[in-house]
Amino acid sequence: MTPPEKPLSAARMDRRDQMTEAFRPEHAPASHPAVPREKVGILVANLGTPDGTSYWPMRRYLNEFLSDRRVIDYPRWKWQPILQTVVLGKRPFTSGKAYRSIWNTEANESPLMTITKQQVAKLKTVLHERYGARVMVDFCMRYGNPSTQSKVRAMVEAGCTKILFCPLYPQYAGATTATANDQFFRALMDEKWQPASRTLPPYFDDPDYIDALAQSVERAYAKLDQAPDILVCSYHGLPYRYLMEGDPYHCQCVKTTRLLKERLGWGDDRITTTFQSRFGPEEWLKPYTVEEVAELARRGKKRIAVMAPAFSADCIETLEEINEEIRESFEHAGGESFTYIPCLNDDDAHIEALAGRIGSNLGGWLT
């Protein structure tokens, strides 16, 4: 009778995993070092987050963010003196206060970091079920930590000969998708042996993404005693000039709202598109959310719901700006009922939509 197999100790499991992951290439001499087995990396990217809410962590984060020419494209000689003195002299204090109002004190991190970790944990489970150990799933931030460079380096060291880079922005914009891709390409420049690479296209019109948005609206409305008069789809703003220069973001936002309206079976009077988070003196995409919700209240729309389809995870712009500043604008104008519908975050329908989109972009690499 064969004796029962003893459970593996942690050390034995580590040695077994190392033997599975690393091997000496066929026909290589005995002195050849073991190399990791080839894998496909799936690197999810989000905007970023400060490491803390005090002055210096906030200043480092804002300096990196606001120095990005994709975000603020004014000439450096004109913008940097203003940024380094006026903006970074004051804004770390006000931004730090806003972050403290939503900070995850238990984990000592921003909600964006907490939610991104949750999203990636679920994505790992789904993608490992489909592809097994052939994929490595991780995340990085465009600004702050963990950096794109550090995660690309880790994937290469782990044996990823191919990387699918996945910015979590449904709608493409130069200030979001493009700058994340820029940073990914910069990281590849540091690699002696570059992995083959792809970037995930925008998915603003993906049926599964639209369906996930619609389900979130239906769930939120089902909890209310009375349906809101109108749903405000508030997207992050951009300077109007960017639209005139060829950025497709505005058009993709408008299409997302239209597809959501059609999926819900609504008329035009039940949903609208607005833009939030203005910065600087020039004109941005309109209508501005903070002004439009007040105008809706004055026009008799006393019950509204607001969602943010351009954000894959709740963050400072949704938890603080929408749920506090924009809510106050609506209520001060006479609004009576304000419902914020959370971002898709780690909702199962959202994870399935992302996994499907990722899978469709792995063609030729994995089946």
Side-chain angles (χ1 to χ4, degrees), residues 44-62:
V44 170
N46 216 323
L47 179 74
T49 171
D51 294 325
T53 62
S54 60
Y55 177 80
W56 287 110
M58 288 302 313
R59 183 182 175 108
R60 285 193 297 271
Y61 173 74
L62 290 170

Side-chain angles (χ1 to χ4, degrees), residues 21 34-37 39 136 150-161 163 191 193 195:
E21 290 297 315
V35 296
R37 296 191 181 277
K39 290 185 284 291
M136 177 180 178
S150 68
K151 291 300 184 176
V152 168
R153 180 90 283 272
M155 283 190 162
V156 171
E157 289 179 345
C160 293
T161 58
I163 297 178
E191 295 303 322
W193 186 354

Side-chain angles (χ1 to χ4, degrees), residues 65-80:
F65 176 46
L66 296 175
S67 292
D68 186 349
R69 291 297 304 280
R70 291 276 195 182
V71 175
I72 308 277
D73 64 354
Y74 300 148
R76 289 184 60 84
W77 64 266
K78 179 187 293 185
W79 171 239
Q80 279 298 317

Side-chain angles (χ1 to χ4, degrees), residues 70 175 219 274 346:
R70 291 276 195 182
R219 284 195 302 269
T274 63
D346 67 338

Side-chain angles (χ1 to χ4, degrees), residues 18-219:
Q18 290 168 7
M19 292 172 63
T20 302
E21 290 297 315
F23 72 106
R24 190 172 67 249
E26 188 177 2
H27 307 304
S31 60
H32 194 290
V35 296
R37 296 191 181 277
E38 289 188 9
K39 290 185 284 291
V40 173
I42 298 167
L43 185 56
V44 170
N46 216 323
L47 179 74
T49 171
D51 294 325
T53 62
S54 60
Y55 177 80
W56 287 110
M58 288 302 313
R59 183 182 175 108
R60 285 193 297 271
Y61 173 74
L62 290 170
N63 183 50
E64 184 181 9
F65 176 46
L66 296 175
S67 292
D68 186 349
R69 291 297 304 280
R70 291 276 195 182
V71 175
I72 308 277
D73 64 354
Y74 300 148
R76 289 184 60 84
W77 64 266
K78 179 187 293 185
W79 171 239
Q80 279 298 317
I82 298 172
L83 174 64
Q84 299 301 325
T85 55
V86 178
V87 177
L88 294 181
K90 298 179 180 179
R91 188 151 179 169
F93 293 108
T94 56
S95 294
K97 181 180 179 181
Y99 267 99
R100 281 192 292 276
S101 71
I102 63 165
W103 199 252
N104 181 348
T105 54
E106 183 177 344
N108 192 26
E109 62 190 19
S110 73
L112 177 66
M113 179 67 76
T114 301
I115 294 166
T116 302
K117 289 177 179 178
Q118 294 166 345
Q119 289 173 323
V120 172
K122 284 192 172 183
L123 268 176
K124 281 182 182 179
T125 299
V126 173
L127 294 172
H128 284 164
E129 286 175 355
R130 297 180 185 179
Y131 305 109
R134 295 179 294 167
V135 297
M136 177 180 178
V137 184
D138 208 340
F139 77 95
C140 64
M141 298 295 185
R142 169 59 183 90
Y143 313 104
N145 297 306
S147 70
T148 305
Q149 289 89 339
S150 68
K151 291 300 184 176
V152 168
R153 180 90 283 272
M155 283 190 162
V156 171
E157 289 179 345
C160 293
T161 58
K162 303 176 180 70
I163 297 178
L164 175 62
F165 185 69
C166 308
L168 287 188
Y169 304 111
Q171 299 81 16
Y172 174 96
T176 54
T177 309
T179 189
N181 289 340
D182 289 346
Q183 199 74 346
F184 175 57
F185 299 141
R186 290 189 194 100
L188 293 177
M189 291 171 64
D190 293 334
E191 295 303 322
K192 183 71 70 176
W193 186 354
Q194 286 184 335
S197 60
R198 295 175 180 172
T199 59
L200 190 73
Y203 50 96
F204 63 96
D205 57 355
D206 184 276
D208 292 334
Y209 159 70
I210 297 297
D211 191 57
L213 287 177
Q215 289 182 45
S216 72
V217 173
E218 290 166 343
R219 284 195 302 269

